[in-house]
Amino acid sequence: MATEVSQLLLAVIQGIPAGATNEDLTKAHPDVPAATRVEALNILIQQGGVEILKKGEKLVYRAKDPEKKSALPKDADNEEKVVYGIVEEGGNKGKWIRDIRMKSNLNMIQLNKILKNLETKKLIKAVKSVNASKKKVYMLYNLEPDLSITGGAWYQDQDFEVEFVDVLNQQCLRFLQMKRDSAEKKREGPLAFKQMSCCTVNEVQKFISDLGISKVNLAEADLETILKTVVYDGNAERVRQQDGSHVYRAVNSPLPPTGLVQMPCGICPVIKNCSNCGDVTAITCEYMRDWLD
């Protein structure tokens, strides 16, 4: 009987995307005894068709995607399933332990024990965020953290790599200058000179890759961020093409740009991580200090 009831309950749960409470299930099938309902729900959970969450003081049963298999072992207890489900919701941006505690309604001692067990089983992992170096977020073990968490290529162990960014800035400028010098030697007129001295981001990416100065793979978006700092320094210009893309060329600027044109925030490579506190802040920003000076 419990197997038949489980299918009836599954239909109710699938009809409530946010998850069905015990009250919802009782209202839908008032004739089903409580013991049978519990047995049927356990069958659904063991089969992997339903996951159990905790919202406030209530347990919520939510239908799982049939194509999505949980890494949790079948012998995991309800608390582990609740915590795992909350962490899973965070995706590659993770969940703060405070959010996990509030959603799971577990005390810190119990929650820390569960998190440690899940980490030991390599089901979840703790990742330090560049936005708050003393805090950790939890995410599924097989996920690659979002750039907003790691800071991308410009961070190593939550520290902003100022020297690395400076080296990339210098090498990108060197490549643009090499391209400009090569175009000057051909002496084919001003329009041809301007066109031949332009570089695409892809060309710069290949040059940096061939140099082997980066331990991480730099995407075109990463190199374009650096090229924009070269533009900010007044050493290059960004030219929009007819197809909407941009190319870059080295320039000889006789006079430094003045006023707000020099303000670094608009083209800062880590502007998304900037705040009033933390590792990235205008208070300690070298670009901002140079601009103010």
Side-chain angles (χ1 to χ4, degrees), residues 130-133 150-151 154-155 158-162 268-286:
V130 296
N131 295 316
S133 58
T150 63
W154 320 128
Y155 281 81
Q158 285 72 52
D159 293 325
F160 182 55
E161 294 286 339
V162 178
C268 175
V270 290
I271 186 65
K272 292 182 179 179
N273 299 324
C274 190
S275 64
N276 293 330
C277 59
D279 296 329
V280 182
T281 171
I283 299 172
T284 58
C285 176
E286 291 188 4

Side-chain angles (χ1 to χ4, degrees), residues 4-32 37 41 44 49-50 60-63:
E4 295 175 359
V5 172
S6 68
Q7 297 307 307
L8 296 175
L9 297 183
L10 179 60
V12 176
I13 294 170
Q14 289 174 336
I16 307 176
T21 63
N22 276 312
E23 288 79 2
D24 294 326
L25 300 177
T26 302
K27 185 178 179 180
H29 297 284
D31 54 327
V32 175
R37 184 172 64 253
L41 286 169
L44 291 174
V50 167
V60 174
Y61 304 93
R62 188 172 65 185

Side-chain angles (χ1 to χ4, degrees), residues 123-171:
L123 295 173
I124 65 171
K125 61 184 175 182
V127 180
K128 287 185 179 180
S129 171
V130 296
N131 295 316
S133 58
K134 294 183 179 180
K135 293 183 179 180
K136 295 184 291 185
V137 296
Y138 290 88
M139 64 184 65
L140 298 190
Y141 187 81
N142 62 340
L143 292 182
E144 188 69 26
D146 186 79
L147 292 181
S148 63
I149 301 298
T150 63
W154 320 128
Y155 281 81
Q156 179 68 32
D157 297 328
Q158 285 72 52
D159 293 325
F160 182 55
E161 294 286 339
V162 178
E163 296 82 1
F164 179 48
V165 172
D166 287 342
V167 169
L168 287 175
N169 180 292
Q170 294 165 11
Q171 293 304 320

Side-chain angles (χ1 to χ4, degrees), residues 240-259:
R240 183 181 175 88
Q241 302 294 87
Q242 290 183 348
D243 61 358
S245 62
H246 292 86
V247 293
Y248 295 82
R249 62 185 294 268
V251 296
N252 293 323
S253 180
L255 293 173
T258 59

Side-chain angles (χ1 to χ4, degrees), residues 183 187-198 249:
R187 300 181 180 278
E188 296 188 13
L191 291 178
F193 163 71
K194 185 173 182 178
Q195 185 175 4
M196 288 187 293
S197 62
C198 290
R249 62 185 294 268

Side-chain angles (χ1 to χ4, degrees), residues 5 39 101 106 116 181 220-221 231 234 254 267 270-271:
V5 172
E39 187 180 352
R101 180 171 61 84
L106 297 170
K116 187 175 181 180
D181 293 342
E220 287 191 16
V231 173
I267 51 176
V270 290
I271 186 65

Side-chain angles (χ1 to χ4, degrees), residues 54 56-58 100-107 110:
K54 205 168 186 179
E57 297 292 334
K58 296 182 179 181
I100 299 173
R101 180 171 61 84
M102 291 179 66
K103 282 195 169 186
S104 66
N105 235 12
L106 297 170
N107 62 61
Q110 193 176 8

